[in-house]
Amino acid sequence: MSTTHQLVGAGQPFRISPPVVVTEELLARCGGLPPVWSDPVALADETEADRVRERRLYVGLAAAIAVVVALYVVRSLLLG
Amino acid sequence: MTDLFPSDASTGTTVLTVFLLLLVVVGAIPVLAGLAQFLVIPLHAVRNHYRETGPYLPNVAVLVPAWNEAAVLTTSVERLMGLDYPPERLRVYVVDDASTDDTPEVLARCAERFPGRVVHLRREKGGEGKAHTLNHGLRHILAEDWMEALLIMDADVIYEPASLRKMTRHLADPTVGAVTAYIREGSGDPQGITRFIGFDYLAAQAASRRAQNVAGAMACLAGGAQLHSRENLEAIGGQIDTSSLAEDTVTTFRTQLAGRRVVFEPHARVLAEEPAGVDALWKQRLRWARGNVQITSMYRHLWFRRSVHPGLGGFFFGIFWFAILLLPVAMLLTSIGLIGLYLLDSRLASDIFGAAVFVPIATFVFMITLTISVDPRTGFKVWREALLFPGAISFVVLVTAAFPGLVPMSGTTETVWTLFVYSWLVLCIPLAYGVRKLEGTRWGRPLTPLALYLVGFGPLMCAITVDAYLKEFRGAAMTWDKTEKTGRVTV
C-alpha cells in the first residue's frame, strides 16, 4: 500500500479474544483431550505449520518448470 | 523463414500484415496474463499474511441463506455445530427465503437440537435473490451486539472442522476486513462435468487466489465462504449490494476500496455441491459472468488507476480481470489474425504460428502442473480433465502444432487442416453452445459428457461469457436461477 492509501486499522493493536474456558463437559465431548482452540500456543503452532506448508509451492514451481523443459527438449529432439 | 515485409510488397499489404500481426499479439495477451499470474503464485510461500495473524476467536454469526434447502440443511447445520471452534462463540442464523419445501420443519428440529445456537429467520416474501435474503439476516444480526465476525455461507457447503478458526486468525490484524476460504468441488464420486469443475476450482481458487494475495488485490470473496469483521460490515453500509448479479464481488471491492484488506486462506477448506449438468452449470456461470460484466461497468473509474486503489487499480489486476472478461474476444482476434495472414501469405502465417505456438503450449503445461501441485490430492483425481480442459479436439490441435510433421500432410488436406486449426479458437465457442442444447435432446444423457470432453470445459466457459455479453447488451432480465442441491457432498 502506498502512503496515499493508508489501510484502515494500520497502527492499531491486534484484535484479541478472551481466553476460552474449557469445562469438564466440553472436555468429555472432545474425548478428554483439550481442543486446539483452547490453547493459544497450539493455535500459533497450527499457523506456523500452515505457513511452512506454503513452501511446497516451490516444489510445484520446480515440477512445472521441469515439465515445460522436458516438453521443449522432446520437441527439439523430434523436430531435429 | 519468410521475409516479414518483402521489398516488392505494396504499402497496403504491409499495413494489412502489420494489422493482422497486431490482432494475433493482442489475442495472445490472456495467455501472457495467465502465465504472469501463475509465475506469481510460488511467491505466496514468502509473501503471505501468516506472520500477521493471531489466536483470535471472536463471536461468529454464521449467515445461511436458504430457499428450499431441506435436503442439505440438516447436514450443514450438524457440520457447523461440529466445527472445531468454541461452541459458545458460534451461532447459526438461517434465513429461510419463503421456502415451499420442508425447510421450516428441518430448521425447527435443528433449533430444538441446538438451543440458542441455531436461529431460524423467515422471510414471507421470497424469490428476490440471495442478496435480499442475506440483508434480512444482516439487519437482525447487526441489531444485536453479540456478533464480532460474520461468516456468509451457502446452505450446501461443508466446512472442514478447523476451517473457521483458520479464517478468524487473519481478523486479528485490524487492517483485514474479510477472509475467504478455499472452496472445493465436494462430490464423493465426481463424474464428467463435476470433475471439470473440480479442476476449475483448483485453478481459480487454490492457485489464482494465492496470486491475488501476493498482488494485494482480491477479485472475489467466495460466496460460500466469506468471513467479515463487524467493523468492515458496518463500514460498507451493513448491507449487501442488490443492484447486480455479483453481490460477492461488489462486497469484495467495497471492502478494499474502504481501505481494508481481503485475505485468501488456502488451508481453510470448504466443500461445495456443484451443478452436475451442463444446463444447470450454464445458468450458474451465466449469473457470475453477467455479474462480472456489470462490475466492469460499475467500477469503470477504477481500472488501471492506482490513484483510486493501488491493488484493484493496478496494472496486474486490470490485465488479469480483462484477460478473463475478454477471453472470447481475444480468441476471435487471434483467429482472424491467423486466417487473414494465411490468406495473405500462407507461408508467413505458418512461420509465425510455428514460432509462437510453443508459448501457449508451455503456458498451458506450466499452469496445469502448478495447479495440480497446489492441492495434489484433488489434482491427481482430475488430471485428465486438466489436460482436456480446452477439449480433446483442442488437445489434438495443440499436439499437432507442437510437433509439426507428426502427421504428414500436403496439398488440400494441409490447407483444410491449417484453416481448421486457425479457426478452431472461434468454432469451439458455438460448438460449446451446442453441447448445452444437446443435453436437452433425447440423446443428451449419453452423448453430452462425450461432447463436453471433445469440445472442452474452457470453450464452454467462453460461450457462457459471450452469452453474458449478449444478455447484458440486450438488457435481459436479471433472474436468480437457483442451482438445485441434492446433498451429495461428502467429506
Side-chain angles (χ1 to χ4, degrees):
Chain A
M1 285 277 171
S2 67
T3 49
T4 53
H5 287 87
Q6 190 68 44
L7 283 166
V8 173
Q12 287 178 14
F14 266 40
R15 294 188 183 110
I16 50 166
S17 46
V20 184
V21 179
V22 182
T23 60
E24 289 293 327
E25 184 205 344
L26 198 59
L27 199 61
R29 263 173 39 200
C30 297
L33 292 170
V36 173
W37 44 261
S38 67
D39 179 6
V41 176
L43 285 172
D45 286 347
E46 185 177 65
T47 300
E48 181 60 10
D50 286 341
R51 191 182 73 78
V52 171
R53 204 169 288 137
E54 283 300 288
R55 292 184 191 157
R56 290 181 190 173
L57 291 171
Y58 294 139
V59 179
L61 176 66
I65 291 172
V67 172
V68 171
V69 170
L71 184 69
Y72 181 79
V73 170
V74 170
R75 185 173 184 257
S76 302
L77 288 174
L78 282 175
L79 297 181
Chain B
M1 183 80 182
T2 310
D3 187 0
L4 202 56
F5 304 114
S7 53
D8 58 339
S10 68
T11 312
T13 310
T14 308
V15 169
L16 190 58
T17 306
V18 171
F19 175 70
L20 293 169
L21 273 172
L22 209 62
L23 291 187
V24 177
V25 171
V26 171
I29 289 175
V31 175
L32 299 175
L35 180 62
Q37 192 189 14
F38 274 70
L39 283 170
V40 163
I41 291 167
L43 292 179
H44 197 257
V46 284
R47 206 178 146 96
N48 54 54
H49 189 253
Y50 289 115
R51 288 192 191 279
E52 293 153 88
T53 60
Y56 181 54
L57 301 164
N59 289 338
V60 176
V62 183
L63 183 55
V64 189
W67 181 71
N68 290 351
E69 305 276 10
V72 294
L73 261 178
T74 306
T75 312
S76 291
V77 170
E78 281 173 354
R79 288 279 173 186
L80 285 170
M81 293 294 110
L83 282 178
D84 214 353
Y85 197 82
E88 75 278 9
R89 296 188 189 177
L90 184 72
R91 286 184 194 165
V92 178
Y93 295 80
V94 184
V95 186
D96 166 13
D97 193 31
S99 297
T100 51
D101 68 348
D102 292 338
T103 298
E105 290 76 24
V106 168
L107 278 173
R109 281 197 293 275
C110 288
E112 204 175 306
R113 277 177 65 193
F114 306 103
R117 297 186 62 206
V118 177
V119 180
H120 177 195
L121 303 171
R122 169 93 176 166
R123 286 187 86 210
E124 293 307 329
K125 180 176 175 277
E128 291 180 294
K130 186 179 169 184
H132 287 277
T133 314
L134 289 174
N135 284 337
H136 182 85
L138 267 173
R139 279 191 290 276
H140 184 93
I141 294 167
L142 284 170
E144 298 171 352
D145 289 336
W146 183 82
M147 181 271 286
E148 293 171 308
L150 180 94
L151 178 70
I152 298 175
M153 62 174 273
D154 293 332
D156 62 299
V157 302
I158 290 179
Y159 280 66
E160 284 187 3
S163 296
L164 181 57
R165 66 163 188 262
K166 289 190 176 195
M167 293 171 82
T168 58
R169 62 189 175 189
H170 294 282
L171 290 184
D173 176 359
T175 67
V176 174
V179 184
T180 191
Y182 165 30
I183 301 224
R184 269 172 33 185
E185 198 288 315
S187 306
D189 181 24
Q191 298 293 332
I193 200 163
T194 47
R195 296 178 71 91
F196 278 114
I197 297 170
F199 176 74
D200 185 39
Y201 273 21
L202 195 55
Q205 305 242 355
S208 177
R209 284 192 176 154
R210 277 183 167 97
Q212 291 169 43
N213 263 356
V214 174
M218 191 62 59
C220 185
L221 287 155
Q226 45 180 298
L227 181 77
H228 295 268
S229 69
R230 186 181 185 105
E231 292 89 332
N232 183 52
L233 279 172
E234 287 172 344
I236 62 172
Q239 292 282 289
I240 303 293
D241 173 68
T242 55
S243 66
S244 79
L245 285 167
E247 79 290 341
D248 306 332
T249 313
V250 175
T251 308
T252 314
F253 276 44
R254 280 185 180 170
T255 298
Q256 291 169 100
L257 290 170
R260 288 184 172 82
R261 289 205 268 187
V262 174
V263 175
F264 167 63
E265 169 51 73
H267 301 287
R269 295 196 180 93
V270 179
L271 304 172
E273 181 175 335
E274 295 302 323
V278 174
D279 192 57
L281 179 78
W282 190 287
K283 286 174 182 166
Q284 182 201 50
R285 297 296 174 102
L286 179 64
R287 198 174 68 226
W288 297 0
R290 283 191 69 184
N292 286 344
V293 176
Q294 291 166 355
I295 296 275
T296 308
S297 165
M298 201 186 280
Y299 289 98
R300 56 189 171 277
H301 65 285
L302 169 68
W303 310 112
F304 302 105
R305 289 186 191 168
R306 283 181 62 84
S307 57
V308 180
H309 189 275
L312 296 176
F315 179 78
F316 182 86
F317 189 81
I319 286 285
F320 157 76
W321 181 272
F322 284 98
I324 292 174
L325 188 80
L326 299 177
L327 185 59
V329 178
M331 289 162 77
L332 178 68
L333 294 182
T334 310
S335 216
I336 292 172
L338 284 171
I339 293 171
L341 283 172
Y342 184 82
L343 297 176
L344 209 62
D345 182 345
S346 61
R347 186 68 193 273
L348 175 66
S350 170
D351 284 348
I352 289 168
F353 184 71
V357 76
F358 191 71
V359 176
I361 292 171
T363 303
F364 173 61
V365 169
F366 182 83
M367 283 163 77
I368 61 171
T369 312
L370 194 62
T371 299
I372 289 171
S373 77
V374 298
D375 180 3
R377 213 179 95 193
T378 307
F380 287 131
K381 256 197 243 176
V382 295
W383 67 269
R384 291 177 202 86
E385 285 68 26
L387 277 175
L388 295 177
F389 199 79
I393 297 171
S394 296
F395 186 78
V396 171
V397 166
L398 284 173
V399 170
T400 52
F403 303 102
L406 202 68
V407 184
M409 277 182 278
S410 59
T412 313
T413 318
E414 190 182 10
T415 306
V416 170
W417 173 250
T418 307
L419 284 172
F420 171 73
V421 168
Y422 293 169
S423 56
W424 176 246
L425 279 170
V426 176
L427 286 178
C428 64
I429 295 177
L431 279 174
Y433 183 73
V435 174
R436 183 198 184 192
K437 289 288 157 198
L438 178 69
E439 194 184 50
T441 65
R442 191 177 156 197
W443 300 100
R445 201 179 164 86
L447 291 181
T448 304
L450 178 70
L452 182 65
Y453 275 90
L454 278 174
V455 176
F457 192 85
L460 188 73
M461 294 299 106
C462 284
I464 292 170
T465 307
V466 172
D467 196 12
Y469 298 160
L470 297 175
K471 289 223 163 44
E472 278 304 299
F473 181 72
R474 288 197 338 243
M478 292 196 290
T479 52
W480 188 271
D481 294 305
K482 184 184 174 293
T483 310
E484 193 189 332
K485 304 291 163 61
T486 58
R488 66 171 188 278
V489 174
T490 54
V491 178

